[in-house]
Amino acid sequence: MTTGLIPGGQNPDPRPTSTLPQQRHEPDGRAAPHVDNRPRSSVITARAAASFEPVGRSVATARSFVRDTLQGWGFADIVDDAVVLTSELVTNAVVHAGTHADVLCLRTDDGIRIEVSDRYPEREIPLQGSPATMGSPDREGGRGLQLCAAIAGRWGVEYTPTHKQVWFRLDLPDRPVGTRAAGPSLPSDLLPLADSRVRVAVVQIDRVGAISAWNEDAEELFGYPADQVTGKPLTDLAAWPHTPGTSTGIAEALQLSRWEGSYGIRGADGRVTPVYASHLRVRDTDGDPSTVCLLVRDHERAVLQTPLRLPSSDASSSGDGQNADPFEVFIGSPAPDDLDGLLQRTVERARDMLDGDSAFLLLATDDETELEVRASTGLPSARQRFARVPVEAGPGRYGSARMPAVHEDLLAVPGAVPLLGGTGMRSVVTVPLKVEGRLTGSLGVAAEGPGRYSNEEALRLQFAADRIALAVESARLGELERLRRGSLSFLVEASDLLAGTLDRDQTLALMAQMTVPTLATWCAVYTIADQASDPYLSYVLHEDEELIDGIKSLLSKIAPPDPVPTPGARVWSAPGEAAHEAALRSSMRSLGLTGGPSHQVTSGIGPTLATASAVGGETVVLPLVARNRVIGMLTLGKPTDEHFRQEILELAEDLSRRAALALDNARLYSERTAISQSLQRSLLPPELPQVDGVEVEVIYRAAGEGNEVGGDFYDVFPISDGAYGFAIGDVCGTGPNAAAVTGLARHALRLLAREGLSGPAVLERLNSAILDEGARSRFLTLLYGEMRPQEDGSAELKVVCAGHPLPLRLRQDGTVEPAAEPQPLLGVIEDLELYEQTVTLDPGDVLLCVTDGVTERREGTRMLGDDGLADVLTTCTGLTAGAVAARIMRAVERFASDAPSDDMAILAMRVA
């Protein structure tokens, strides 16, 4: 979110003072209250703007922005209506339209105008017509416009080519002059004390911040006569303390429409007098703005503030006899239907009820051992939200959470309320929220000064807490139920995604993508190969891709977290500390504080600071445990000053268990696949030999995913000088069992052939070896031959075809004929009588040998067959051996649309 505050006495934007917009859409039935064709002469006295990103949390941020702005302007009467309308319109922009939302608040003398713009002009508002087009109040779409029609004094819609703007105007209620705020009549003993006559210094500051008026009380308080300070800037006299958590300076405070707070004025004697000031910006009849400052001594601030409210026991009752407790009235008008809204309203009301500077509310975890910050006001809420502290024991425990407690000065009991550390708060009162005797939370109000609260305030706050506890617990349980339902859906989807892959890298990517940004802003996955290995940074992801490299570089420079098998998330502070140190070093170098030239490193400070901000929040580590072994760690992180919700950590723990098992399954699958592929590759022959005068080409396809070798095999190998053996065979079946017989056959062929045995003798001994395998034996079809290139350019082949598809000979004239006769297959009977046939291949002739996976290729009832193969081969005249094999394979693949279900091998030899 980016914000800007532009005060002024002139109109910075002419739109609100012009006539009605050129294009306005309003529902019928309320045309009279909305349409106002008279020129508006209201002058804008202050302007505040903010832009919100298209994310869900922007709606709550927009509500806070509008509430803070209007309360700062003194428009408490219309804050609630403005916040409700803004919330609905911003929801339409960032949630439904999915674009940035720009919110502009304009202050006039008699009210405010708020404009909400989105960048989706094509998503039009319903045109003027039947009110039915606005939809039901229970629907998400259109509800904001119904509220505008019901609440706003005027509203409308404007379109531009790039933006759509919905605006509404709320008028201040009519009040008698001088009755902005009034307190009840008080007994004399309850009036604020003053050491002497109360002096109220009235100082007027002109447009440029110079003193233009200085009354007698100012002279008495600070020792300067009027003529000595007139014309000088007030900043020359002011000692601005820069209150923690605010960035407003004295110059900015003087430009605001209304401001109250403390600072100091340097007197004529050089001493600084602490004062409490109330600033009011006005304009004269010429339109020239100036600021009137009312100053009293700081301990007399009650003079300029609304009187403290009486305890509820002394408060007056309403006319109908019911207790008009402001806390109950505020919460019930009506109570927000969402938990965050209810908690935020509770802390704001509690702060106002006890006239505090801040308030906070914590909710107990399910086991009541920790309290989690859920809402605060007047504190840096972004830093504290979802922070957890123990209830009973341990470092940083939340003292006395189960009973009301009053701390008059936190400096005397440091650490009593860890949430307030470093905030400047001195006194605090805390009370428990209980339902049926069970601790459900804690509510506290704090002030910057010591001794502000007593048991009386604790009783008032406890009375209010008792009234709101049940509503808070009911809303919390409703939110928890919705979160759990969402968690179940999330885990089901995550399980499906993780189960859908056995690839290790893809599993790592899925783990990260499921956690970012759903569970965390960034994550890192460490893996551990074995018990003797150190954790290795395997994957890093951030919702902003530009920050991934910076985080990866940072994590690679620090020691990984310890692989502790204990379940649950544990905090890991090393990344945040390392990033902070790196940012500090970069900042010092850029300022030239390390002795080196600053201009050489200034360009690198931006990414360093961005990385430090990205990992500056809470970082937790969850072990990845599978099969009783830690196989890695899942690291989740938040940006600066953010914490994890307990429910999110529990969901992350469930996800880590599923992810660990998926990651280990992927590891086992990868290992076994690597082993399988290594063994399969050992069954394939090495590179084909170079045969003088003969081209040899092989194409091999094993059926089944992940298989490189099946039941089909081939081999071409040298036997002796000038002679080469070749074989192509098919073992019954596919897969590893068939591949085992494949290895036996291929290696036996080489061994027996190199012993000088003839082709029939080689196959007969191979047949005996297969039968010796017993139950593991499988029958085998085999085409084996010996090839001898001749001096005249031809090649002599001696071939034995044992139950295998016959080899085909392609002559240069395009004729195709079988090159051998069929004989019995191997592995069935013991006594085989095989013979070899001699074939001479002339130059240009091709011998094609295939397995039955080629000839038995089917499409429905059709089969390629021997005749179909011969027809394809007749078209290969004049082609090289490689081209012949490729054409045969393409014809086989195109014959049917389904993937092949059998292994295929093609061996083509062509005499050059």
Side-chain angles (χ1 to χ4, degrees):
M1 182 190 77
T2 57
T3 62
L5 184 62
I6 307 175
Q10 297 180 350
N11 185 4
D13 188 346
R15 289 176 298 171
T17 59
S18 64
T19 57
L20 290 175
Q22 295 179 355
Q23 183 177 1
R24 288 184 49 171
H25 297 156
E26 298 179 359
D28 288 342
R30 289 185 58 91
H34 293 311
V35 177
D36 184 3
N37 294 320
R38 295 172 298 173
R40 280 173 278 168
S41 59
S42 299
V43 176
I44 295 174
T45 57
R47 179 178 186 267
S51 180
F52 303 93
E53 298 178 353
V55 294
R57 61 177 178 269
S58 293
V59 179
T61 309
R63 288 197 296 263
S64 299
F65 164 71
V66 172
R67 182 179 299 279
D68 292 343
T69 299
L70 299 190
Q71 286 180 340
W73 288 348
F75 285 178
D77 295 337
I78 56 176
V79 162
D80 289 340
D81 290 344
V83 169
V84 168
L85 296 181
T86 303
S87 177
E88 293 296 331
L89 298 180
V90 172
T91 299
N92 289 340
V94 303
V95 176
H96 302 306
T99 76
H100 282 72
D102 300 322
V103 179
L104 175 64
C105 301
L106 301 174
R107 180 188 188 277
T108 63
D109 295 338
D110 52 356
I112 56 102
R113 168 179 165 132
I114 295 180
E115 303 173 358
V116 178
S117 302
D118 64 48
R119 302 169 191 180
Y120 189 8
E122 293 83 1
R123 190 173 186 270
E124 292 196 359
I125 302 299
L127 294 174
Q128 185 175 6
S130 174
T133 61
M134 300 292 288
S136 168
D138 296 329
R139 290 179 57 243
E140 286 292 327
R143 186 171 61 187
L145 300 181
Q146 287 182 307
L147 290 175
C148 286
I151 297 176
R154 289 190 296 272
W155 67 278
V157 184
E158 299 178 12
Y159 290 98
T160 69
T162 58
H163 289 74
K164 178 178 82 270
Q165 178 192 102
V166 182
W167 61 268
F168 62 87
R169 179 178 175 83
L170 297 174
D171 297 326
L172 289 176
D174 294 332
R175 293 177 299 193
V177 176
T179 60
R180 177 181 180 275
S185 300
L186 294 177
S188 299
D189 57 349
L190 294 181
L191 294 176
L193 295 176
D195 295 338
S196 60
R197 185 175 71 85
V198 175
R199 296 188 180 273
V200 181
V202 180
V203 183
Q204 192 159 359
I205 313 300
D206 61 18
R207 179 195 295 269
V208 297
I211 299 173
S212 59
W214 184 268
N215 73 340
E216 293 181 357
D217 279 2
E219 294 182 5
E220 186 66 27
L221 281 174
F222 310 122
Y224 297 108
D227 56 357
Q228 187 174 347
V229 296
T230 301
K232 291 184 177 181
L234 181 63
T235 53
D236 290 351
L237 306 179
W240 191 258
H242 291 289
T243 304
T246 66
S247 59
T248 305
I250 182 64
E252 290 80 6
L254 292 173
Q255 296 297 314
L256 299 178
S257 61
R258 182 172 178 79
W259 183 88
E260 290 187 11
S262 300
Y263 53 93
I265 297 293
R266 296 184 183 87
D269 57 1
R271 297 180 179 179
V272 175
T273 302
V275 297
Y276 188 81
S278 176
H279 297 176
L280 179 65
R281 193 159 174 81
V282 298
R283 60 186 177 86
D284 58 23
T285 55
D286 296 329
D288 195 28
S290 62
T291 304
V292 177
C293 305
L294 305 180
L295 312 176
V296 298
R297 292 184 178 90
D298 191 60
H299 63 272
E300 296 172 341
R301 65 168 59 189
V303 175
L304 298 183
Q305 289 186 309
T306 303
L308 296 176
R309 297 175 179 86
L310 285 173
S312 58
S313 59
D314 298 334
S316 59
S317 300
S318 59
D320 57 1
Q322 297 179 349
N323 193 313
D325 180 70
F327 190 91
E328 182 184 18
V329 172
F330 195 93
I331 294 299
S333 58
D337 55 2
D338 64 298
L339 178 61
D340 288 339
L342 177 62
L343 299 182
Q344 190 62 35
R345 183 177 292 185
T346 298
V347 295
E348 292 172 357
R349 193 67 198 98
R351 178 196 60 186
D352 295 342
M353 187 178 69
L354 296 188
D355 195 25
D357 296 312
S358 63
F360 51 89
L361 192 149
L362 302 88
L363 293 184
T365 56
D366 290 340
D367 55 7
E368 300 180 17
T369 60
E370 289 184 312
L371 292 171
E372 187 177 64
V373 180
R374 294 301 302 271
S376 64
T377 181
L379 297 173
S381 57
R383 175 169 63 89
Q384 303 292 349
R385 187 165 170 80
F386 299 126
R388 293 176 301 280
V389 292
V391 174
E392 297 295 350
R397 70 183 182 88
Y398 194 98
S400 305
R402 300 184 185 277
M403 296 292 291
V406 176
H407 296 282
E408 296 184 352
D409 193 346
L410 291 177
L411 296 181
V413 282
V417 185
L419 175 64
L420 300 180
T423 61
M425 300 297 161
R426 296 282 298 276
S427 55
V428 61
V429 53
T430 61
V431 297
L433 274 68
K434 293 185 177 182
V435 176
E436 297 180 351
R438 181 174 58 88
L439 179 68
T440 61
S442 179
L443 177 63
V445 178
E448 294 179 357
R452 289 280 298 275
Y453 301 116
S454 63
N455 291 339
E456 185 178 2
E457 283 77 13
L459 291 175
R460 294 178 60 200
L461 190 61
Q462 184 67 72
F463 179 74
D466 291 342
R467 295 196 174 192
I468 198 63
L470 186 59
V472 169
E473 180 66 4
S474 176
R476 187 187 73 86
L477 292 177
E479 181 195 63
L480 187 60
E481 179 63 22
R482 290 190 295 271
L483 182 60
R484 285 176 176 170
R485 290 182 180 179
S487 299
L488 290 176
S489 300
F490 172 78
L491 291 175
V492 169
E493 183 179 358
S495 299
D496 289 342
L497 291 174
L498 291 171
T501 179
L502 288 172
D503 182 81
R504 175 182 176 276
D505 294 337
Q506 189 173 0
T507 301
L508 290 172
L510 283 174
M511 290 172 57
Q513 292 167 4
M514 286 185 293
T515 57
V516 176
T518 305
L519 305 181
T521 306
W522 66 272
C523 83
V525 183
Y526 290 85
T527 56
I528 303 175
D530 52 62
Q531 294 181 353
S533 301
D534 294 329
Y536 174 74
L537 181 62
S538 299
Y539 203 91
V540 176
L541 184 65
H542 191 282
E543 62 182 7
D544 184 353
E545 294 183 357
E546 296 181 356
L547 298 176
I548 295 177
D549 291 338
I551 298 177
K552 186 182 299 183
S553 176
L554 173 71
L555 295 178
S556 63
K557 296 176 183 178
I558 62 177
D562 296 330
V564 178
T566 306
R570 54 192 174 91
V571 177
W572 186 33
S573 59
E577 295 173 354
H580 176 74
E581 293 176 1
L584 181 60
R585 289 194 299 268
S586 297
S587 300
M588 293 179 66
R589 287 197 300 267
S590 67
L591 296 174
L593 300 180
T594 59
S598 61
H599 60 85
Q600 296 180 358
V601 296
T602 301
S603 59
I605 190 173
T608 303
L609 294 178
T611 301
S613 176
V615 303
E618 188 175 40
T619 302
V620 297
V621 177
L622 297 104
L624 298 175
V625 181
R627 299 176 175 89
N628 298 321
R629 186 175 74 87
V630 180
I631 64 171
M633 287 87 69
L634 177 63
T635 302
L636 307 180
K638 287 282 190 178
T640 299
D641 298 335
E642 290 194 18
H643 299 266
F644 286 98
R645 294 186 60 176
Q646 185 63 34
E647 294 86 351
I648 295 298
L649 293 179
E650 293 173 357
L651 179 59
E653 186 177 355
D654 288 339
L655 175 64
S656 68
R657 287 194 290 266
R658 290 166 170 78
L661 188 59
L663 184 60
D664 199 47
N665 288 338
R667 178 187 62 82
L668 293 174
Y669 177 79
S670 299
E671 291 178 355
R672 294 181 181 180
T673 300
I675 294 173
S676 173
Q677 291 175 347
S678 178
L679 292 175
Q680 290 183 63
R681 283 192 290 269
S682 70
L683 300 177
L684 295 174
E687 296 181 359
L688 297 177
Q690 296 291 331
V691 181
D692 294 337
V694 180
E695 299 174 359
V696 180
E697 184 65 30
V698 173
I699 296 179
Y700 184 82
R701 297 284 189 275
E705 183 180 357
N707 291 330
E708 295 187 18
V709 177
D712 291 5
F713 68 95
Y714 68 92
D715 201 0
V716 179
F717 54 93
I719 298 176
S720 59
D721 293 341
Y724 296 87
F726 66 91
I728 184 170
D730 184 5
V731 178
C732 175
T734 60
N737 293 329
V741 180
T742 295
L744 170 66
R746 192 177 68 80
H747 289 93
L749 283 176
R750 285 197 173 211
L751 179 63
L752 295 173
R754 286 172 177 171
E755 290 293 325
L757 299 177
S758 65
V762 169
L763 267 62
E764 288 171 1
R765 296 195 180 189
L766 176 60
N767 180 62
S768 299
I770 294 175
L771 291 175
D772 289 344
E773 289 293 307
R776 295 182 298 175
S777 66
R778 290 170 176 260
F779 64 82
L780 167 68
T781 68
L782 179 64
L783 171 66
Y784 173 75
E786 295 180 1
M787 177 175 55
R788 293 179 181 272
Q790 305 297 311
E791 294 181 357
D792 61 357
S794 63
E796 183 184 79
L797 282 69
K798 296 182 178 181
V799 182
V800 180
C801 185
H804 198 77
L806 299 179
L808 298 179
R809 175 181 180 178
L810 172 65
R811 297 182 181 272
Q812 292 186 16
D813 59 4
T815 59
V816 176
E817 60 184 5
E821 297 178 354
Q823 300 185 57
L825 51 78
L826 308 180
V828 178
I829 58 178
E830 294 183 1
D831 298 328
L832 288 179
E833 295 182 0
L834 302 174
Y835 60 90
E836 62 183 10
Q837 297 173 272
T838 302
V839 179
T840 301
L841 297 181
D842 297 326
D845 287 357
V846 175
L847 183 70
L848 177 67
C849 309
V850 300
T851 58
D852 60 3
V854 174
T855 57
E856 295 179 1
R857 177 72 163 151
R858 296 178 180 274
E859 174 68 20
T861 59
R862 296 187 307 119
M863 185 172 71
L864 180 62
D866 296 333
D867 294 338
L869 179 63
D871 292 341
V872 177
L873 185 59
T874 58
T875 66
C876 298
T877 304
L879 299 181
T880 63
V884 171
R887 179 169 292 186
I888 297 299
M889 180 56 72
R890 284 197 302 270
V892 172
E893 291 175 343
R894 293 173 180 174
F895 187 80
S897 58
D898 296 336
S901 59
D902 195 6
D903 304 328
M904 293 186 294
I906 300 174
L907 171 62
M909 295 182 291
R910 178 180 179 273
V911 179

